[in-house]
Structure formats: C-alpha cells, structure tokens
Amino acid sequence: MIMTITIQQALRPLFLTCFVIGLGAYPIKQPHLRIRWVTYLSILYSLTFWSLYIYVLYYVTTVFTLQRIFFTVINFIVLMINILATITSSFVGFYYHKKFEMCMIKLDAVDNTLEQLGTPKMDKQIFMWSKQIIIGWFIYVFLMNIYNVQYYAQYISIFWALVLSGIVHYSTHVNILVDCLVVILLWYVQHIFIIVN
C-alpha cells in the first residue's frame, strides 16, 4: 500500500519547529477545523513563551550595559525592531491560523487534482527539503551564536556570553526560519503554477 503525503504532512517538520520556538499553533496531523482547543493551548504556550522571553531580555539588558550587549546603536535599533516584528507576527499568525489551514487544504486539493491529471507530486521532496532546511537553520544558529559569544566573551564571562547570544539574537534566528518557510511555500505555489501553464 502506497502512503500518500499531503502538503501539510510534508511541511510538518517546519510547522512543528515554528510551534516549539513560539511562532504558531501545533500542527495537527489530520486537519480538522473543529479542534479549537489545540489552538487555544498553542496560544497559551506562545503567550507564556514570549512573556518569559521579554522578561529575560529585560533582565539581561538591566544587568549589563547596552554598550556591552549591542555592537552599535544601529544594531540596537535593528534588533529591537526585529524583536517587535517577531512577537507581532507570532500573534497575527494565530489570528490568521484558520485561513492558513484552509489555504493548505486548498493547495492539497489542487495538488491531488494535478496528480489525477498525471503530474507527479512533490510532497516527498518538500518533506526532505523541510528537514534539510531545519538542519541548515540549526547549523546557522550554532555558528552565529559562536560568533556572538566570541564578541561578548571579551567583556563578560563565557556563561553570560552564551546567555546573551541566545537571548539577544533569538528573534533574528526565528525570523530566518520563518523566511525559509515562506520561501518554500512560495516555491511550491510557483511550481504548481508552472505545471498548470
């Protein structure tokens, strides 16, 4: 028996990673729109996660001087805008979660229709790409944190350098993962349009 993979299942590793880092609702295997309690628990998790993040960021910025935390003034401004944009997009994402689920169901229906017309499905390839994107993202985060720890270690202890690197640049790393998710979704839609034309 050949098991078919839907687009939701192909992108599940990315959706699950986004949930863990506080950006979205928990990805349900079977997309039933009537299961609202999972979304409510996801909102509670996200609220708790971002409240704790803001508290820890506030604590870190009060313990250390801003000159030691941020490289330059422009770096401070960019990171603060990045943090606000990440938190805002997290909660806006919950608002549009139901529409996004419907969009994914419609994309899957288009994909199934194209498969019946003889076009091969790309879901297994997208599933492998999503795993590779997550692995690449983890490597990127690790390397960038090493770079930032080297800068912070000049002024403070290694432990606090690790904490600062993880806390201060967290929103940048999260936004890069979201950018990768958007790129893979846009590529998939573009691939469908190319097949249709």
Side-chain angles (χ1 to χ4, degrees):
M1 180 173 155
I2 298 173
M3 185 175 186
T4 60
I5 297 177
T6 63
I7 188 66
Q8 293 103 336
Q9 292 168 340
L11 293 173
R12 185 171 169 78
L14 284 171
F15 292 150
L16 192 58
T17 306
C18 286
F19 167 72
V20 169
I21 60 176
L23 281 182
Y26 181 77
I28 303 169
K29 287 184 180 180
Q30 300 295 327
H32 296 290
L33 296 177
R34 287 180 259 130
I35 304 177
R36 301 296 349 145
W37 62 272
V38 174
T39 304
Y40 296 143
L41 286 177
S42 298
I43 292 171
L44 179 64
Y45 170 76
S46 187
L47 279 172
T48 306
F49 184 87
W50 288 110
S51 299
L52 182 66
Y53 174 74
I54 290 171
Y55 173 74
V56 170
L57 183 68
Y58 176 75
Y59 176 76
V60 165
T61 54
T62 56
V63 169
F64 300 103
T65 61
L66 291 179
Q67 290 84 13
R68 288 188 179 174
I69 296 174
F70 302 105
F71 304 129
T72 60
V73 174
I74 193 73
N75 190 9
F76 171 75
I77 293 169
V78 168
L79 281 173
M80 287 302 123
I81 290 172
N82 206 354
I83 289 169
L84 288 173
T86 304
I87 293 172
T88 304
S89 68
S90 173
F91 293 114
V92 169
F94 280 112
Y95 181 74
Y96 288 109
H97 179 70
K98 188 174 181 179
K99 290 182 181 180
F100 184 71
E101 283 180 350
M102 290 301 299
C103 177
M104 295 303 288
I105 291 170
K106 289 178 183 180
L107 268 177
D108 192 43
V110 169
D111 196 32
N112 289 336
T113 304
L114 289 174
E115 183 186 26
Q116 290 176 353
L117 294 174
T119 305
K121 290 183 91 167
M122 297 286 296
D123 295 337
K124 290 182 183 177
Q125 188 176 10
I126 291 174
F127 182 71
M128 293 306 296
W129 284 349
S130 63
K131 286 182 178 180
Q132 292 169 356
I133 286 173
I134 291 171
I135 291 169
W137 179 73
F138 276 123
I139 291 170
Y140 165 78
V141 168
F142 179 73
L143 292 175
M144 290 306 295
N145 282 340
I146 286 175
Y147 172 76
N148 291 323
V149 165
Q150 288 177 347
Y151 172 77
Y152 292 135
Q154 297 172 4
Y155 304 107
I156 55 177
S157 68
I158 295 292
F159 172 75
W160 284 108
L162 285 168
V163 171
L164 276 177
S165 178
I167 297 297
V168 172
H169 300 285
Y170 178 76
S171 63
T172 305
H173 302 320
V174 166
N175 282 339
I176 288 172
L177 181 66
V178 171
D179 292 344
C180 291
L181 176 64
V182 169
V183 166
I184 200 167
L185 281 173
L186 289 176
W187 176 85
Y188 182 71
V189 170
Q190 181 246 353
H191 176 73
I192 289 176
F193 281 136
I194 287 174
I195 290 173
V196 169
N197 289 333

